[in-house]
Structure formats: C-alpha cells, structure tokens
Amino acid sequence: MPMDSVARFLAVLSPGDRRTVDAEPRGEQERLAAAWESELEADVELDTLDELSPSAAEAEAARRVLDRREG
C-alpha cells in the first residue's frame, strides 16, 4: 500500500521535526506535505540533487518548508 503524502513527508524529517509536525492537526500536516511536494516539483536545484540523491533532495525540500513556516 503506498504511503500518503503526509506519511512520506514525516518520513524525511529529523526525529525532532517529525515529533513537532506529528503533534500538529491533520490539516496542518496536509498543508505542510503539499508545500513539500510543491517544493520538490518546482525547484530546479532539487531536480539536480534528486538525480544524485533522492533522499537528500526530499530532506532539503522538507527543511525549506519548515524554515519558511518558522520564519
């Protein structure tokens, strides 16, 4: 069974960030996961990184989404 976008997003976060996001309401988790997917799709730099290391690209996109949220 494929994981939903929230589960995939949570999987790439650091343990501390995962706990923080996991404590958020489901709607906020879905918003963050959608922002993460958009970041992965839209950023050309991440496309290049994705060719070298898909997991690194996913983690970088997640970091950017969380940085924007906190900033």
Side-chain angles (χ1 to χ4, degrees):
M1 179 167 94
M3 295 187 343
D4 69 8
S5 61
V6 171
R8 290 192 330 265
F9 176 62
L10 289 171
V12 301
L13 296 174
S14 69
D17 288 337
R18 187 176 309 119
R19 282 189 296 276
T20 299
V21 172
D22 198 36
E24 294 287 341
R26 179 68 182 189
E28 178 64 6
Q29 292 175 2
E30 289 171 351
R31 187 191 70 74
L32 291 169
W36 171 68
E37 288 183 340
S38 293
E39 184 78 20
L40 283 170
E41 291 173 7
D43 194 297
V44 176
E45 290 176 16
L46 290 175
D47 286 343
T48 303
L49 181 58
D50 187 51
E51 291 178 14
L52 300 172
S53 174
S55 60
E58 291 176 342
E60 175 61 16
R63 185 191 62 76
R64 292 178 185 183
V65 167
L66 293 180
D67 284 352
R68 279 196 303 269
R69 179 176 179 234
E70 294 170 0

